[in-house]
């Protein structure tokens, strides 16, 4: 079958056919046979290695998010046809220079915009949450505790309901962190609306409302998605759907340049969220991208450098008190550089223990998130109202915990040396007064009754071993760990970085309090190492997390300890399940191609998974044949066969894309006889940029052509738009080897050619769909474990 690539069920289609449509049974697949000489040596090997099921009923189901929808693949391959060659031949040195300048200008402009968006989000959260906490604190100082509780829970409920309504009714794709979607896009998957302008707006404002509502979530994950949406919006020349297009940016109307720009946007999002420019580059390299090269490294680094410089200037401006209630802090979010990080062999043993526990708890966190999201899916399927009700319910539970649990702890007298700072009234910081009498503070309120950033800052603070007791840390860790699992999956833009850091920091500080007599490390350092262990255990990132934490804390002396705890946590957690983002990609039903092929693919060859009948076009084809094929199939690539009278025997001329066929048909460059017209006739009517891929919005469809009955009997020459050098593999190539080539080259279609002569010039087409484990399991049930 030609060019199926949507996922595990159904052909890739530009129509509204849902992806969960049952898949047709392949009609031409073969069992794998060993070579003849091996068969003669061992007669028992002549049996098929894999038994084939007669019917395949597997289908793709999006477990989390909006309803199932068509999933297209992206054209990262350069289509080298005559249109492409003419485009480059027509460009002079000035245009090539303009292209390079615009590419760099766009990357730097993406960094500027993402930095402004990140600064706006941070200041908005600090002021909205700060006003809510200040109002509640003032009421409590007046002993109006019930009114304070009603105001607190009311503010949180309204903010949560607003965030959920934005996601449920305007942009369902904006829910969650968005990192799995960006990761899938950079792998070659174009899921519905994941980078749309509406998704960008809801991501920004929904994240602000959700974090301000007091949820145990962060805005750091959504900032990655926001950066990718900004880059996509700029890189496609705006949006056709919303009437925003810019002709000067037409050079970038292709998936390859958009992919590079979106990579820069994702890195800029991390840099804006954590103020960690180098960590942003490494995050893009380690976690979200599937292809990388040195030129992209340099461009991404420049983008994050712009983010760092813009943020430094804006934060310096806020230090003058111009940014509202809070708005303080520097480029280093949690400065720990003043400590002496000296450690002994016993300290290393404690750090190893912390890495082991962090890996186990991180894997357990991923397990519970996976199970709970499946339950949430049943509720979300009932419609937007159910999503809002679920979000409001979680908000009420969170508000009751954060306001009610501090009442269960006793008040602690303020240390005499901190009389000026304790208790904290009317501002952020440690030693919250809450309901305590003058000269006392509530330790649990110092963590709960703060913004998430301030709670982390309190846990990381040095010289505060006596501020948080064991019961306080245990209560906070248990609550945050549970609420982090329960909250992720509600219909608000939510990130897991902050919940994981909060849980890890409180757990690390708890271990430091329990083993203080054994280890000489500061409890704040234990909090940092605990956060690192949890990040390694849940997200399975090492290099990027290590650098991000170092940039957050400005303490290079901790590098060996952070590396050790990350390696231990990741190694141990990998024994139980995958990282949280890999789990999300799988649960969302996104056909993601992994770096390594499945083991069963080594027992299969490329010809075993292609299916028919194969749809091909002649090099000069009848218009009616093309139109009927486009109407009744959803394929996006078709082999073109050169046959008589243009070739003595049938041969593979190349591959033609659906989008290029539609443009050519719209140009009506037809002839009455089956003859070659050449590229000159095409360029008299159409320009190379007419074949560029459109941005978000309505694209050209068969119904828009308006061809007459007379046009249907005409002929059109496909040579000018045919990719004359498509990637091909022989039918007996190992499927594992073909999968590595397919992913490594960023392909959308891979032609399978016969091994012997005298057969049709092309056996079939391999697409993303054919490498999916679910599809292979449907063909060969005993090929791989479930």
């Amino acid at each position: 079958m030609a060019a199926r690539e949507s996922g595990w069920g159904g052909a890739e289609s530009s129509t509204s056919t849902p992806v969960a449509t049952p898949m047709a049974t392949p009609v031409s697949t073969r069992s794998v046979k060993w070579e003849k000489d091996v068969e003669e040596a061992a007669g028992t090997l002549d049996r098929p290695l894999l038994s084939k099921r007669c019917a395949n009923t597997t289908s793709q189901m999006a477990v989390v998010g909006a309803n199932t929808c068509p999933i297209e693949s992206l054209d990262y391959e350069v289509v080298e046809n005559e249109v492409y060659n003419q485009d480059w031949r027509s460009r002079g040195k000035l245009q090539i220079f303009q292209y390079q300048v615009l590419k760099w200008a766009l990357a730097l402009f993406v960094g500027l915009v993402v930095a402004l968006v990140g600064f706006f989000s941070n200041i908005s959260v600090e002021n909205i949450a700060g006003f809510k906490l200040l109002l509640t604190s003032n009421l409590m100082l007046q002993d109006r505790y019930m009114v304070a509780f009603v105001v607190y829970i009311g503010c949180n409920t309204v903010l949560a309901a607003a965030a959920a309504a934005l996601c449920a009714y305007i942009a369902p794709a904006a829910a969650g962190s968005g990192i799995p979607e960006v990761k899938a896009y950079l792998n070659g998957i174009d899921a519905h609306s994941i980078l749309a302008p509406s998704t960008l707006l809801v991501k920004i404002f929904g994240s602000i409302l959700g974090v301000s509502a007091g949820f145990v979530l962060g805005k750091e994950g959504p900032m990655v998605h926001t950066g990718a949406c900004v880059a996509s919006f700029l890189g496609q020349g705006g949006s056709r759907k919303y009437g925003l297009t810019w002709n000067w940016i037409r050079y970038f109307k292709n998936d390859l340049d958009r992919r590079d720009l979106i990579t820069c946007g994702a890195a800029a999002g991390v840099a804006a969220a954590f103020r960690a420019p180098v960590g942003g580059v490494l995050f893009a390299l380690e976690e979200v991208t599937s292809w990388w090269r040195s030129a992209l490294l340099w461009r991404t680094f420049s983008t994050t450098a712009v983010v760092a410089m813009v943020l430094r200037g804006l934060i310096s401006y806020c230090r003058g008190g111009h940014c509202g209630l809070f708005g303080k802090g520097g480029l280093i979010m949690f400065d720990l550089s003043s400590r002496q990080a000296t450690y002994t062999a016993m300290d290393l043993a404690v750090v190893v223990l912390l890495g082991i526990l962090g890996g186990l708890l991180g894997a357990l966190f991923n397990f519970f998130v996976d199970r709970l999201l499946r339950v949430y899916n049943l509720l979300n399927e009932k419609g937007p109202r159910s999503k809002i009700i679920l979000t409001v319910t979680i908000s009420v539970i969170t508000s009751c915990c954060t306001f009610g649990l501090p009442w269960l702890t006793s008040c602690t007298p303020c240390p005499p040396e901190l009389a000026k700072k304790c208790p904290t009234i009317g501002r952020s910081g440690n030693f919250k007064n809450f309901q305590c009498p003058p000269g006392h503070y509530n330790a649990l309120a110092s963590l709960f009754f703060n913004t998430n950033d301030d709670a982390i800052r309190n846990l990381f603070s040095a010289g505060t071993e006596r501020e948080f007791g064991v019961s306080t840390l245990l209560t906070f860790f248990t609550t945050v760990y549970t609420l982090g699992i329960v909250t992720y999956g509600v219909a608000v833009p939510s990130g897991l970085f902050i919940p994981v850091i909060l849980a890890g920091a409180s757990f690390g500080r708890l271990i430091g309090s329990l083993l203080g007599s054994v280890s000489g490390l500061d409890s704040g350092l234990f909090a940092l190492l605990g956060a690192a262990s949890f990040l390694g255990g849940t997200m399975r990132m090492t290099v990027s997390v290590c650098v991000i934490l170092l940039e957050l804390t400005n303490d290079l002396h901790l590098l060996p300890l952070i590396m050790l705890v990350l390696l231990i946590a990741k190694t141990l957690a990998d024994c139980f399940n995958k990282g949280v983002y890999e789990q999300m990609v799988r649960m969302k039903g996104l056909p993601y191609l992994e770096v390594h092929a499945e083991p069963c693919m080594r027992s299969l060859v490329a010809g075993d998974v292609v299916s028919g009948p194969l749809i091909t076009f002649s090099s000069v084809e009848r218009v009616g044949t093309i139109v009927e094929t486009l109407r009744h199939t959803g394929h996006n690539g078709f082999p073109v066969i050169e046959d008589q009278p243009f070739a003595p025997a049938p041969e593979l001329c190349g591959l033609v894309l659906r989008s290029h066929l539609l443009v050519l048909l719209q140009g009506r460059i037809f002839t009455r006889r089956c003859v070659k017209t050449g590229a000159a006739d095409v360029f008299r009517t159409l320009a190379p940029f007419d074949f560029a891929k459109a941005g978000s919005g309505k694209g050209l469809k068969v119904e828009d052509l308006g061809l007459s009955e007379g046009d249907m009997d005409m002929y059109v020459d496909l040579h000018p738009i045919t990719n004359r050098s498509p990637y091909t593999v022989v039918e007996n190539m190992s499927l594992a080897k073909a999968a590595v080539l397919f992913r490594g080259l960023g392909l959308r279609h891979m032609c399978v050619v016969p091994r012997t002569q005298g057969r049709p010039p092309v056996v079939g087409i391999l697409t993303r769909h054919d490498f999916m484990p679910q599809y292979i399991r449907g063909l060969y049930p005993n090929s791989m474990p479930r």
Side-chain angles (χ1 to χ4, degrees), residues 11 13 15 615 624-635 638 658 702-703:
S13 173
T15 64
I615 300 175
T625 302
I626 298 176
V627 172
E628 288 301 313
T629 301
L630 296 180
R631 282 177 178 172
H632 294 94
T633 66
H635 308 326
F638 301 90
R658 167 187 284 265
V702 182
E703 294 77 12

Side-chain angles (χ1 to χ4, degrees), residues 428-444:
S428 61
N430 299 30
F431 309 109
K432 286 291 182 181
N433 179 260
F434 204 63
Q435 89 288 9
C436 295
H440 292 70
Y441 72 95
N442 189 307
L444 200 54

Side-chain angles (χ1 to χ4, degrees), residues 489-703:
V490 298
V492 296
S494 56
L496 278 177
F497 273 102
I498 291 300
V500 170
I501 291 177
L502 275 173
S506 57
F507 180 77
R509 199 176 180 101
L510 175 63
I511 296 297
S513 300
L514 294 175
L515 302 179
S517 59
V518 178
S519 174
L521 294 178
D522 185 88
S523 56
L525 296 180
F526 269 108
L528 176 63
L529 295 174
S533 68
F534 267 56
L535 287 170
T538 55
M539 301 180 182
R540 315 297 163 81
M541 294 181 288
T542 52
V543 179
S544 57
V545 168
C546 183
V547 174
I548 288 173
L549 290 176
L550 290 178
E551 290 185 281
L552 281 176
T553 57
N554 195 28
D555 197 344
L556 193 60
H557 297 291
L558 289 176
L559 178 61
L561 295 181
I562 295 177
M563 292 174 64
L564 177 63
V565 78
L566 279 171
L567 290 173
I568 294 174
K570 172 182 166 49
T571 302
L572 185 61
D574 281 339
C575 299
F576 298 95
N577 50 35
K578 291 183 176 292
V580 65
Y581 296 133
E582 284 77 8
Q583 289 186 173
M584 292 301 102
V585 167
R586 180 181 299 177
M587 292 182 64
K588 289 176 181 290
L590 299 172
Y592 187 87
L593 290 176
E594 299 289 349
V595 178
H596 304 290
E598 295 287 342
C600 75
M601 292 185 182
R602 301 189 181 279
S603 301
L604 294 169
V605 295
D608 288 320
V609 295
V610 296
S611 54
L614 181 65
I615 300 175
T616 63
F617 290 135
S618 298
S619 57
V620 180
E621 186 60 85
R622 181 175 169 272
V623 174
T625 302
I626 298 176
V627 172
E628 288 301 313
T629 301
L630 296 180
R631 282 177 178 172
H632 294 94
T633 66
H635 308 326
N636 283 276
F638 301 90
V640 177
I641 305 301
E642 192 86 274
D643 207 340
Q644 293 183 352
F646 309 111
E651 60 183 31
L652 179 62
C653 179
L655 192 77
V656 65
L657 298 180
R658 167 187 284 265
S659 59
H660 290 180
L661 285 171
L662 292 172
V663 175
L664 187 64
L665 293 176
Q666 190 182 42
R668 288 176 168 79
I669 310 169
F670 306 148
T671 59
R672 295 188 179 276
R673 293 183 302 166
C674 181
V675 295
K676 286 185 179 181
T677 58
D681 290 346
V682 174
F683 295 133
R684 290 192 190 100
T685 307
L686 300 171
F689 285 118
D690 292 330
F691 293 92
K693 184 172 182 178
S696 63
K698 183 180 179 181
L700 188 61
K701 298 181 180 179
V702 182
E703 294 77 12

Side-chain angles (χ1 to χ4, degrees), residues 406-477:
W407 289 85
L408 302 179
T409 60
S410 58
C411 296
T412 306
C414 290
E417 65 275 10
L418 298 176
K420 294 182 179 180
K421 297 182 179 181
C422 181
T424 301
I425 299 175
R427 56 186 172 86
S428 61
N430 299 30
F431 309 109
K432 286 291 182 181
N433 179 260
F434 204 63
Q435 89 288 9
C436 295
H440 292 70
Y441 72 95
N442 189 307
L444 200 54
S446 298
L447 300 175
F448 275 127
F449 223 62
N450 254 322
T451 61
N452 291 331
D453 287 351
D454 285 324
I456 295 174
R457 189 173 288 108
N458 294 346
L459 289 170
F460 283 179
S461 59
T464 56
E465 288 81 359
R466 300 180 182 178
E467 180 182 355
F468 304 110
V470 173
S471 60
T472 298
L473 293 171
L474 182 60
T475 303
F476 183 76
F477 164 70

